[in-house]
Amino acid sequence: DTGVSQNPRHKITKRGQNVTFRCDPISEHNRLYWYRQTLGQGPEFLTYFQNEAQLEKSRLLSDRFSAERPKGSFSTLEIQRTEQGDSAMYLCASSLVSGSNEKLFFGSGTQLSVL
Amino acid sequence: GIQVEQSPPDLILQEGANSTLRCNFSDSVNNLQWFHQNPWGQLINLFYIPSGTKQNGRLSATTVATERYSLLYISSSQTTDSGVYFCAVDNFNAGGTIYGKLTFGQGTILTVHP
């Protein structure tokens, strides 16, 4: 168990550029989540995958955002035409549901700065 | 949606002191977790505790679901306990299936001085 891995750790981009982040969940975890955290706030839910199916998207996820999880393994989160308001920490989490117990394990996040 | 309030917002302790962090939530929950976010930003899952009491070393947590609150106890605090403690809940239950769409509180910032 190597934990949830996220790349890159930091990303600086200019407004209007596209960026893509990657998340590798804990192996055999079938659920994968993306959250966003801004300074001084708790993380906010963005979207969720069960295996390869994207089952829910928050209204925070505008049409500039797209997430995929091909083959139910790693996931990517792409932001098109970035805006300064997109600057935040993007966190990925994975879980394996056991009975009624679902414990989330988070990666270290990707810190995005849009200049 | 469900509201989560944590108190106190900030807490400063001397090493060795004990502390209690509180989480109030506005609706019944199926999933409640406590996390510690260290100074490097890593979120560590401390407890999955929608009800009852659990202990793990110097940390313990109690959730009283009927009264909609949870408490996190830290005993004999150490400088490595510093960081932000988050309570997160989810009350979604579709046909008995829960999932990890969590609503986080604002967190309690804990600073432990040597």
Side-chain angles (χ1 to χ4, degrees), chain A residues 46-98:
Chain A
L46 292 179
T47 190
Y48 146 66
F49 291 84
Q50 172 123 357
N51 301 313
E52 67 276 8
Q54 187 174 17
L55 297 186
E56 184 167 345
K57 294 192 292 186
S58 164
R59 54 186 167 80
L60 293 176
L61 217 62
S62 76
D63 56 8
R64 296 184 297 106
F65 288 70
S66 62
E68 295 182 343
R69 192 184 182 197
K71 302 179 183 178
S73 55
F74 70 92
S75 176
T76 58
L77 178 66
E78 180 183 15
I79 309 175
Q80 296 183 325
R81 305 180 303 281
T82 52
E83 302 174 355
Q84 289 185 326
D86 297 331
S87 295
M89 174 78 84
Y90 289 84
L91 294 161
C92 176
S94 69
S95 70
L96 180 65
V97 177
S98 172

Side-chain angles (χ1 to χ4, degrees), chain B residues 19-69:
Chain B
S19 61
T20 301
L21 282 57
R22 186 177 179 105
C23 171
N24 292 333
F25 41 94
S26 61
D27 203 348
S28 59
V29 297
N30 295 310
N31 187 342
L32 187 149
Q33 302 185 35
W34 283 97
F35 295 89
H36 173 218
Q37 190 165 41
N38 65 24
W40 297 271
Q42 177 73 53
L43 272 166
I44 306 296
N45 194 309
L46 299 176
F47 293 104
Y48 171 87
I49 188 165
S51 64
T53 297
K54 290 186 178 179
Q55 180 155 7
N56 184 1
R58 297 181 295 104
L59 273 58
S60 63
T62 295
T63 298
V64 184
T66 53
E67 297 186 22
R68 300 182 184 171
Y69 73 89

Side-chain angles (χ1 to χ4, degrees), chain A:
Chain A
D1 181 354
T2 57
V4 178
S5 176
Q6 290 189 247
N7 288 287
R9 187 73 177 92
H10 302 276
K11 180 70 178 178
I12 300 173
T13 191
K14 292 183 179 179
R15 189 178 50 171
Q17 298 295 305
N18 300 342
V19 294
T20 300
F21 312 139
R22 177 178 171 124
C23 171
D24 287 272
I26 294 172
S27 58
E28 298 181 358
H29 276 193
N30 59 348
R31 290 185 175 177
L32 186 148
Y33 300 84
W34 285 99
Y35 282 77
R36 179 171 70 186
Q37 185 178 22
T38 54
L39 197 62
Q41 304 294 316
E44 295 175 293
F45 170 83
L46 292 179
T47 190
Y48 146 66
F49 291 84
Q50 172 123 357
N51 301 313
E52 67 276 8
Q54 187 174 17
L55 297 186
E56 184 167 345
K57 294 192 292 186
S58 164
R59 54 186 167 80
L60 293 176
L61 217 62
S62 76
D63 56 8
R64 296 184 297 106
F65 288 70
S66 62
E68 295 182 343
R69 192 184 182 197
K71 302 179 183 178
S73 55
F74 70 92
S75 176
T76 58
L77 178 66
E78 180 183 15
I79 309 175
Q80 296 183 325
R81 305 180 303 281
T82 52
E83 302 174 355
Q84 289 185 326
D86 297 331
S87 295
M89 174 78 84
Y90 289 84
L91 294 161
C92 176
S94 69
S95 70
L96 180 65
V97 177
S98 172
S100 60
N101 184 329
E102 181 172 11
K103 196 172 177 180
L104 264 61
F105 295 87
F106 281 85
S108 299
T110 294
Q111 181 66 54
L112 173 67
S113 297
V114 181
L115 305 179

